[in-house]
Amino acid sequence: MKPRLALVASTSALALAGCAAEATPVPVEALAQSGRSAFVCLAIDRPDPNKPGVMRSLPITDCSYGTVESSTDYEVDAKDGGRATLPHLYGLVTQTAHGEVAVVDLTTESSLIVDRDTGTPAPSFLPVGAQPVDIVATPGGTASFVAVAEPGRAGIYALPSAKVLPREGCPVPSLSSWPACSLPSAPGEMLLVADPPDPDADPEGSAKLRSSCEGRYDVEPTEPGDPGAFVDDVCSTSNGSLDMEGGGRQKLLVTLPDLGGFVVIDAQKLLEDTAYQDGGFAACDVERWVPLQVSLPPAEPPDEPPPGDVPPGDVSCAQPAVAASPEQAFDKARPAGLALSGDRLFIADLDAPVIHVVDLPTPCEPREQPPLLPASTLEPGRVVTTRRLAVSQASPPEFNRYLYAVDAGDGSVMVFDISDDVSEDPSRRSPLSRENPDWNPFQPPDRIRLPAPVRDLAIVQREIPRSLPATGVVPRGIRCSPLPELRTCDSSVTSCDLETLYRTSSDRDSGAGPLKLRGTFAYMALTNGQVAIVDIDDLDAACRGPERQSVRAGCDADASPSSPLLETSGEASCNVVLPHAVRSETYIVASDGSGQIEPGVQGLPILYDRSGAVVPLSGESPKMRATFPSEGAAPDLALAVGVQREVIASSDSAESELDERGLVLRSGGPQHALTMNLEDPRVHIANETWAVTYEGVLTSITRASVAFDENLDLRGTDARFCRRGVQSLTSVKAQLKAAGVPEGEAETRAEQLADVAQITSELPDEDATYWKSVDSAVCSFDTCNAKYGSVITSRPALRIVEAYEDHLELDRTDEVGFAACCFAGSVQLDIRAGGQWIVRSNGAGFLHHVIADPAGGYCRNSCDTRLSRFNGRVAHTPRDGRVTDGDVGAFLNPMFRFAVTGGVPEQDMQFRFTTQGAFTPLALDLVDISDTSELQPQSIQLVPATGQLAVTDGSVQGLFLLSSRDVAVTRRYR
């Protein structure tokens, strides 16, 4: 590997006797294949300036953002008995390749990685045994514990904080320096949980602890000693007492994946029992063994279609096939990630489709409850297992709590509502589903899917409180409100509404905005080196949205035209911030000074004829119009065009010969228009160039083997006609009848709108022997060449009566028999729409929701309403004028909606436009600040002392610290 530059200190620089030599860069590779991390807050007091300092562990929250130049500077106050006033924050990072724990001083400005033995050519860390899989630190920083899965020596090593820093004159620690105990099986993740003091203790006295789950409450909590009493204990013979940290007796909960459960171990006993000292490695004293149960509800038969959704005999759409539920028998659990929420412990499972729920009033009395039930709406037959978990804190007013779980199969994230105790009702134990999943059908309805699988995640609650100008009071947890009747806070008033303090400023330089994270958010480390941010409960959400609400913008209702404007950020959607959805990196507005951001078009649509010439908009030409809501008063529709918002006419001014409704009015006259779907801006995945072509080609079949069979059907085993979106005469007729069109009219219109097959193959050469074998009464080279030797677009169109996945039934006419005679063997096809406009883009292509009916095999639109916006066909509306949503000619896909009205369209006439304002998720790309793209994020966790997030890299990039304050990487250690 390439040598890396790491800052490694000399022994004298880190000696606690006070030498001040500075760290010098040494060209070595320091952190490599980092795994998990933990953090402790330590100070070095100097009660006697002539003797080595005395280490003092502190609660993690006693450390801060403060930094110093030197690793030995703890800002000792001689007037206060040599007490250190600036404790250092240390990160302990497992090194999985070498079985070590690296110590990183996060308080020094030199980004120091602590070297325990400078006599070796490479940085020396703390040896802990091979394959360290997890590390946890006590809240008061007294010790850390490392779980190792070394074959034949699986166990837990205790690292007393008094011994993790180098001391001048003290031996370099070896594996036997640490208290350690052995486990019967390789451990997985672990947690520290406090066994609370005696609940029946006299409130006037000090509550006692119990030393074990079976013991009595007879242990007096240890009081912190006088630092001066330890000045002669240079090498720290004591491992420390966890009891002095307060809160109870600390227990280790350690999962044993191969055995299907977890154990409870007393952390203090591991630190102090002589059986675990000096390399003894005796068996861990397991106080509780908790075998986890795989409790699943009985397997249910496949769901039947909801009654009334599709009338009997209706073949206008096809019910998707429902896969059977996965097999419900599992031998045992395989615990993985852990998350603690109050008195409930949640445990992921790598083998069974459950998330175990353990009621944990104390770690000594675990009681397993009915589990949560991971599942997939789109893949009901898949066994969904989980890897990593994170829980949110409850926040007012609803005090909801959520559990985020990483799907071990595809790396997506499921969300469970754990606000109340888990119910016996399995429906309350399933992943949450998004409301209105049709708004964004590119996302699964019951999970968060990101550009790459999620490796780990952490949930962070942040607050950036504002002070009242008149009093300086700093209230917390205030939700922003856009209501115009509220009284704004400024320096001139002593009484105001606090909710106005957080509104977006008029220039969008402050207040509610995409980079102002105030509330609860999930940070997700992805396998591609990015860290994505997901909204859970943004305190400023109400102030992010349009000034006048409308259903088209994803709001609950249309605001009255006479109502006052809301004091919001003026963004285009009510769902710029959406719980359990990725956060936007930018304001969703037409222009925020940095470019085109609101979903719209780069330029208004333009109509071209087949030759590519522009067709001027006139009374005789087809027109692309924005459609209007079918209910209520017409809202003020607009379309972002470049950096401007163009108003769409809702009434006809009668100033031109055209009906202007649904068009953009510019000084040069009416222009073609459409409206963007703004209910969920995340649906705008990419900026694309779109073409809307009359009787256009929806798919070309050039590689599949398709040929006429003995029934004159076009057949190909790999043709996949349904998956290509083919729509037959029978399908169109069924749809029209379902929409209320009379039988006779439905038959006529279906003949006009059904897809046709157009053969694009070249004829056999004139001198080919094939022509000697054909019936000359049916065809010959000359007769075939007369029809099929010309321009392909003028070749005969063969109407499709019924379509199946592997064959097309054609209208039985002489033309079909003639075509079958002209072409021997496999043919190439274009499938064209009949009498419809085909919508396709350079990226998404032709969108549709056609599936093969599970019973009949024929091609039909899916009855699944979630897919209802996957459309790529527009029925031409001959009548010019206003078109409302739901009309036969109203087009709607996930990104936009419009209609094409009037004029006489010609085949291959085409509207073109390019969209803008693709949604940009808020994410940090760690690759951008690294000198390699080979990042392998392993874990992400909150550092309570600073509010930062720590990301470890399994490659050679070490440890990243991310600021949750300004969404940036603050430091990197390697």
Side-chain angles (χ1 to χ4, degrees):
M1 296 184 191
K2 180 174 72 173
R4 309 235 174 232
L5 192 66
L7 292 173
V8 182
S10 66
T11 303
S12 59
L14 289 174
L16 301 183
C19 294
E22 294 303 319
T24 56
V26 180
V28 296
E29 187 175 62
L31 302 185
Q33 297 186 32
S34 299
R36 310 279 281 181
S37 59
F39 300 88
V40 293
C41 184
L42 306 176
I44 304 297
D45 297 323
R46 300 298 297 273
D48 186 339
N50 299 316
K51 293 185 177 181
V54 178
M55 196 217 74
R56 174 165 48 96
S57 59
L58 296 164
I60 190 69
T61 51
D62 281 11
C63 278
S64 66
Y65 276 106
T67 60
V68 290
E69 182 64 31
S70 171
S71 61
T72 60
D73 185 0
Y74 293 87
E75 296 188 359
V76 172
D77 186 353
K79 296 180 180 179
D80 190 20
R83 193 173 185 84
T85 61
L86 181 65
H88 286 212
L89 179 65
Y90 293 92
L92 281 71
V93 186
T94 61
Q95 304 296 284
T96 60
H98 304 295
E100 297 176 319
V101 172
V103 181
V104 183
D105 188 341
L106 307 180
T107 304
T108 62
E109 295 177 0
S110 52
S111 303
L112 194 66
I113 297 174
V114 178
D115 186 8
R116 288 304 312 259
D117 184 6
T118 56
T120 59
S124 176
F125 301 138
L126 310 178
V128 293
Q131 299 181 26
V133 294
D134 202 4
I135 182 170
V136 293
T138 62
T142 304
S144 302
F145 299 86
V146 185
V148 297
E150 180 178 354
R153 283 187 62 85
I156 303 172
Y157 287 81
L159 308 183
S161 294
K163 297 180 179 180
V164 300
L165 298 180
R167 305 248 181 159
E168 188 174 22
C170 296
V172 175
S174 63
L175 194 63
S176 61
S177 301
W178 316 116
C181 68
S182 66
L183 290 168
S185 177
E189 291 194 23
M190 59 183 180
L191 280 177
L192 274 165
V193 181
D195 183 23
D198 185 0
D200 299 323
D202 182 356
E204 299 296 327
S206 62
K208 296 183 179 181
L209 308 176
R210 53 182 175 180
S211 60
S212 71
C213 289
E214 304 300 335
R216 299 165 58 93
Y217 288 98
D218 56 5
V219 178
E220 292 284 354
T222 305
E223 296 294 329
D226 175 16
F230 300 96
V231 293
D232 295 321
D233 187 13
V234 176
C235 296
S236 299
T237 57
S238 171
N239 290 334
S241 172
L242 303 182
D243 295 346
M244 75 172 70
E245 293 187 6
R249 183 86 172 188
Q250 296 192 50
K251 307 290 183 181
L252 284 163
L253 274 58
V254 186
T255 59
L256 301 179
D258 292 340
L259 299 183
F262 68 89
V263 294
V264 178
I265 297 170
D266 186 75
Q268 183 62 46
K269 184 171 184 178
L270 175 55
L271 274 175
E272 66 185 16
D273 196 304
T274 56
Y276 307 133
Q277 311 296 320
D278 303 322
F281 207 61
C284 299
D285 184 6
V286 175
E287 298 188 348
R288 290 287 185 271
W289 160 243
V290 185
L292 296 170
Q293 307 300 313
V294 180
S295 175
L296 293 169
E300 299 179 355
D303 294 336
E304 295 296 329
D309 274 12
V310 181
D314 183 0
V315 292
S316 62
C317 69
Q319 288 287 356
V322 179
S325 298
E327 179 60 43
Q328 300 290 297
F330 295 86
D331 291 337
K332 63 179 181 181
R334 187 173 182 80
L338 303 174
L340 188 65
S341 177
D343 291 340
R344 282 184 292 168
L345 174 66
F346 297 89
I347 308 175
D349 196 305
L350 282 170
D351 282 353
V354 297
I355 296 174
H356 305 277
V357 181
V358 180
D359 189 16
L360 208 67
T362 80
C364 295
E365 286 82 30
R367 296 188 298 270
E368 190 165 4
Q369 302 296 324
L372 302 177
L373 303 172
S376 171
T377 299
L378 301 185
E379 301 175 273
R382 179 165 70 94
V383 175
V384 179
T385 59
T386 48
R387 289 190 292 106
R388 296 281 174 85
L389 306 176
V391 293
S392 70
Q393 300 179 36
S395 55
E398 288 83 9
F399 294 95
N400 292 328
R401 291 177 185 262
Y402 298 101
L403 174 80
Y404 276 46
V406 179
D407 186 328
D410 63 9
S412 61
V413 176
M414 295 166 285
V415 183
F416 296 83
D417 187 346
I418 59 169
S419 304
D420 303 316
D421 290 340
V422 177
S423 167
E424 295 290 338
D425 180 2
S427 66
R428 295 192 61 228
R429 295 187 272 139
S430 300
L432 293 178
S433 291
R434 287 183 292 115
E435 294 183 6
N436 305 300
D438 57 312
W439 287 356
N440 187 0
F442 299 113
Q443 273 284 331
D446 59 350
R447 60 199 56 227
I448 305 166
R449 180 167 289 161
L450 294 154
V454 175
R455 176 65 182 172
D456 195 16
L457 71 170
I459 293 179
V460 177
Q461 194 167 36
R462 293 199 70 252
E463 170 66 296
I464 310 173
R466 296 282 304 276
S467 61
L468 287 169
T471 64
V473 175
V474 185
R476 302 179 68 87
I478 303 298
R479 293 182 180 271
C480 186
S481 174
L483 297 178
E485 62 268 23
L486 298 182
R487 187 173 185 183
T488 304
C489 294
D490 59 48
S491 57
S492 65
V493 298
T494 57
S495 176
C496 63
D497 292 300
L498 306 179
E499 298 91 334
T500 65
L501 286 168
Y502 299 95
R503 290 174 176 172
T504 307
S505 63
S506 58
D507 57 6
R508 298 192 180 93
D509 281 347
S510 62
L515 302 183
K516 177 65 69 68
L517 301 182
R518 211 173 61 88
T520 306
F521 309 90
Y523 286 72
M524 300 183 182
L526 310 185
T527 56
N528 66 355
Q530 290 185 332
V531 177
I533 300 175
V534 169
D535 290 314
I536 298 178
D537 182 19
D538 185 351
L539 296 177
D540 294 331
C543 291
R544 299 281 307 280
E547 296 175 335
R548 190 178 300 283
Q549 296 192 343
S550 70
V551 174
R552 280 284 188 93
C555 312
D556 293 334
D558 292 322
S560 168
S562 60
S563 61
L565 297 179
L566 297 175
E567 299 286 342
T568 67
S569 57
E571 294 176 82
S573 174
C574 276
N575 293 311
V576 170
V577 176
L578 193 63
H580 318 304
V582 291
R583 187 174 181 84
S584 171
E585 183 182 72
T586 58
Y587 287 103
I588 309 297
V589 293
S591 175
D592 70 344
S594 62
Q596 304 159 358
I597 299 193
E598 180 180 330
V601 293
Q602 296 179 13
L604 291 172
I606 298 174
L607 179 62
Y608 300 86
D609 64 17
R610 174 180 286 181
S611 68
V614 173
V615 178
L617 192 151
S618 67
E620 291 73 35
S621 68
K623 303 157 197 69
M624 180 179 287
R625 298 176 183 268
T627 58
F628 291 86
S630 56
E631 297 180 0
D636 295 331
L637 299 183
L639 173 65
V641 183
V643 297
Q644 302 295 325
R645 300 194 87 221
E646 300 279 1
V647 175
I648 293 172
S650 59
S651 60
D652 187 9
S653 67
E655 294 180 359
S656 70
E657 62 178 1
L658 303 175
D659 187 327
E660 299 165 346
R661 292 176 294 178
L663 302 177
V664 165
L665 302 183
R666 283 183 168 176
S667 57
Q671 303 291 323
H672 302 292
L674 67 156
T675 54
M676 307 302 291
N677 295 332
L678 300 173
E679 299 102 331
D680 183 354
R682 294 158 193 81
V683 75
H684 300 279
I685 299 172
N687 299 328
E688 298 182 276
T689 297
W690 292 83
V692 182
T693 309
Y694 187 68
E695 294 186 342
V697 175
L698 59 105
T699 184
S700 295
I701 301 174
T702 58
R703 297 183 179 180
S705 178
V706 177
F708 286 99
D709 64 11
E710 64 276 8
N711 298 318
L712 298 183
D713 295 337
L714 281 170
R715 186 175 296 274
T717 54
D718 58 347
R720 302 182 300 173
F721 292 114
C722 296
R723 274 180 273 187
R724 294 175 185 268
V726 176
Q727 186 169 268
S728 66
L729 183 149
T730 309
S731 174
V732 175
K733 180 179 177 181
Q735 293 177 53
L736 292 170
K737 289 176 63 178
V741 178
E743 173 78 24
E745 183 181 349
E747 180 73 34
T748 301
R749 293 187 63 182
E751 291 180 356
Q752 299 168 349
L753 300 176
D755 288 346
V756 296
Q758 197 167 45
I759 298 174
T760 59
S761 300
E762 296 292 334
L763 288 168
D765 292 339
E766 183 176 4
D767 57 356
T769 57
Y770 170 74
W771 297 112
K772 298 178 182 179
S773 64
V774 301
D775 185 349
S776 59
V778 179
C779 73
S780 66
F781 175 79
D782 291 335
T783 57
C784 291
N785 191 52
K787 282 195 174 183
Y788 290 99
S790 58
V791 178
I792 288 176
T793 53
S794 64
R795 289 182 174 185
L798 309 177
R799 183 179 295 114
I800 300 170
V801 175
E802 188 59 279
Y804 298 83
E805 191 73 340
D806 64 348
H807 70 283
L808 302 175
E809 293 180 359
L810 304 175
D811 195 1
R812 296 292 191 269
T813 64
D814 292 341
E815 193 62 59
V816 174
F818 179 72
C821 180
C822 291
F823 293 93
S826 297
V827 296
Q828 296 180 349
L829 301 174
D830 278 349
I831 305 296
R832 281 185 174 270
Q836 300 181 74
W837 298 80
I838 291 298
V839 183
R840 61 183 310 130
S841 75
N842 61 331
F846 172 66
L847 297 177
H848 68 87
H849 54 290
V850 176
I851 63 172
D853 182 82
Y858 39 73
C859 303
R860 294 291 185 273
N861 284 336
S862 171
C863 299
D864 186 349
T865 56
R866 184 184 68 86
L867 307 177
S868 61
R869 293 193 179 188
F870 276 150
N871 296 312
R873 301 171 181 271
V874 189
H876 187 80
T877 302
R879 173 189 54 82
D880 245 337
R882 173 187 170 120
V883 178
T884 59
D885 295 335
D887 287 351
V888 173
F891 173 78
L892 171 66
N893 76 1
M895 287 69 73
F896 45 77
R897 61 185 79 197
F898 63 84
V900 181
T901 68
V904 180
E906 299 175 356
Q907 190 177 81
D908 290 332
M909 186 175 272
Q910 187 176 88
F911 290 95
R912 298 177 201 163
F913 58 90
T914 300
T915 56
Q916 66 173 31
F919 184 85
T920 305
L922 180 60
L924 292 169
D925 197 336
L926 302 181
V927 174
D928 288 347
I929 63 166
S930 306
D931 52 10
T932 177
S933 60
E934 298 178 359
L935 280 174
Q936 301 174 26
Q938 298 297 303
S939 69
I940 182 170
Q941 70 179 98
L942 177 69
V943 184
T946 62
Q948 296 171 308
L949 289 116
V951 180
T952 56
D953 174 48
S955 180
V956 292
Q957 295 302 304
L959 176 69
F960 294 88
L961 287 184
L962 316 181
S963 170
S964 59
R965 177 179 301 175
D966 52 8
V967 195
V969 176
T970 56
R971 302 182 80 178
R972 179 173 53 146
Y973 305 85
R974 59 187 181 129

